Amino acid sequence: MPIDEDAVRKILTKLKAELEAYSEISEEARATVTLDQQSVGRLSRMDALQGQAMAQASERQRRADIQKIAAALSRLEEGEYGFCVECGEEIAEMRLKVDPAAAFCIRCAQ
């Protein structure tokens, strides 16, 4: 079954926009931790640092996902979308439905 390039482009563009929007929303959580020792009931510095580290790790994963989506969009423009970047074999349709940015067939991804 041929790939509906417009539908794929729409899905990838939407996913990328959602990830970028979430990055903007979570910017405050990744900011430098300050401790207001005058306030009662505030998170401890260790809890705040842990929260910051988790937010930064999530942001790194989001950035990697955005790059993966950008690469898929590029492959789509070049007419190479749906083919494994390693072996050149066609990527299974179900795999692309699960992960529209997949760059590798099942065999090469393992």
Side-chain angles (χ1 to χ4, degrees):
M1 182 161 142
I3 295 172
D4 182 352
E5 291 183 7
D6 289 332
V8 170
R9 186 176 290 106
K10 190 180 220 181
I11 290 168
L12 290 170
T13 303
K14 181 181 177 194
L15 287 171
K16 185 178 176 195
E18 288 173 357
L19 289 169
E20 288 171 342
Y22 196 72
S23 282
E24 287 180 31
I25 291 170
S26 68
E27 189 172 344
E28 186 177 321
R30 297 184 317 269
T32 303
V33 174
T34 57
L35 179 62
D36 182 1
Q37 294 182 356
Q38 303 302 317
S39 298
V40 176
R42 293 279 182 156
L43 291 175
S44 70
R45 182 162 179 80
M46 291 302 290
D47 287 341
L49 289 171
Q50 183 180 18
Q52 177 195 37
M54 290 171 49
Q56 289 172 341
S58 293
E59 178 63 14
R60 282 190 298 276
Q61 184 60 51
R62 268 192 300 279
R63 288 285 147 207
D65 290 343
I66 289 170
Q67 287 179 340
K68 185 178 170 186
I69 291 168
L73 287 167
S74 178
R75 287 192 308 278
L76 191 61
E77 294 303 317
E78 295 167 4
E80 298 174 1
Y81 180 82
F83 296 95
C84 179
V85 297
E86 180 125 351
C87 70
E89 293 293 319
E90 191 170 348
I91 299 173
E93 183 180 347
M94 287 305 292
R95 179 165 171 75
L96 291 173
K97 282 185 179 182
V98 171
D99 181 7
F104 299 97
C105 66
I106 291 289
R107 192 173 346 127
C108 293
Q110 295 176 349

